[in-house]
Amino acid sequence: MSATYPKAVPSPSFQSRIGRDARSGFPAVPHRYRLHLTPSCPSCLRIAVTHSLLGLQDVLPMTSLPAVPDASDGGYAALRPLYEASSHLYPGPALAPVLSDGWTGRIVSTHAPDIVQDLTRRFGVCEPRLYPDGAEARIQEVERLCEQGINAAAQRAGRSGADAAERDVALATLLRGLGSLERRLACEDYLLGGRLTAADVELWVTLVQLDTVHRWHLDAAAVYRITDHPHLWSYARRLAALPAFGSHLDLDGIARRHHAQCRGREAAGAAVRIVDWAQYAPARP
């Protein structure tokens, strides 16, 4: 009763950076760039939350894409012209996220971590300071924990074909990761202390993914052990109540994207709801 997940997405094809001045090739000019995102994708959700926290709606507009790619190759038809303008006869699917350049009609980057950092450092001129001085190593530590200790571990714990021992090892890794975060949040409002940073955006999106996707392929006993981190899930609810976070929740889109990509069977943990995300998500047509 476990999941079969799709093959890993290839490495990003475009990784230019927004620089400080015109010599960079992509200077930080207001109204020049556009984001193309689908909040059903965790990478896009991180960018969308960052974009809202920094108040960049007017400076750098955002186009929303459907939850599930609509092209026959698994990409987005609307993004195909950008990909082909940026790489002649581009052979792969046109995937999100995309940061595009309105002056040249080409793609700047499809690499989510770079996009988040460039939004923050090149356009984020006011609070919150998502990358405070001296905090980058600690933020990277949280990113590794979220990716390996939570996301990857949860996938292994709910993987089709894995034996019970392998799933138990993965679940133990997941619980250790959640436990370390629980201890941090028992005495702090945010992961790095008294202020919200990029580490909190990373963790919040990871918790959304854990509850809305990975939980469906875990048994009930495993999910009850995951819920037994009260400070962590209270923190997730507290952030979801902030418009910059909760306004980007597309629960129906996440479910449709999950069902389109995953061929695994639902397990008993699907019935054990951790967070009522619907109370924070906006009504969608």
Side-chain angles (χ1 to χ4, degrees), residues 3 13 75 91 95 99 119 133 137 163 175-176 226 242 246:
S13 300
L95 301 173
L99 175 64
L119 292 183
D133 294 343
D163 61 26
L175 293 173
R176 279 196 303 273
I226 290 169
L242 301 176

Side-chain angles (χ1 to χ4, degrees), residues 232-268:
L232 184 64
W233 293 107
S234 175
Y235 158 92
R237 294 182 184 93
R238 177 161 50 86
L239 292 188
L242 301 176
F245 288 82
S247 67
H248 295 293
L249 282 170
D250 181 1
L251 301 177
D252 178 66
I254 291 172
R256 286 188 286 116
R257 186 183 185 90
H258 176 213
H259 293 314
Q261 293 183 339
C262 181
R263 299 296 178 265
R265 291 176 295 172
E266 183 179 307

Side-chain angles (χ1 to χ4, degrees), residues 137-174:
R138 297 171 67 195
I139 292 171
Q140 290 176 347
E141 175 193 355
V142 170
E143 291 171 349
R144 287 192 296 270
L145 175 60
C146 288
E147 182 55 34
Q148 299 302 319
I150 301 179
N151 281 323
Q155 287 194 16
R156 292 196 305 272
R159 179 168 291 159
S160 287
D163 61 26
E166 184 179 345
R167 292 197 297 271
D168 287 346
V169 169
L171 179 61
T173 299
L174 171 61

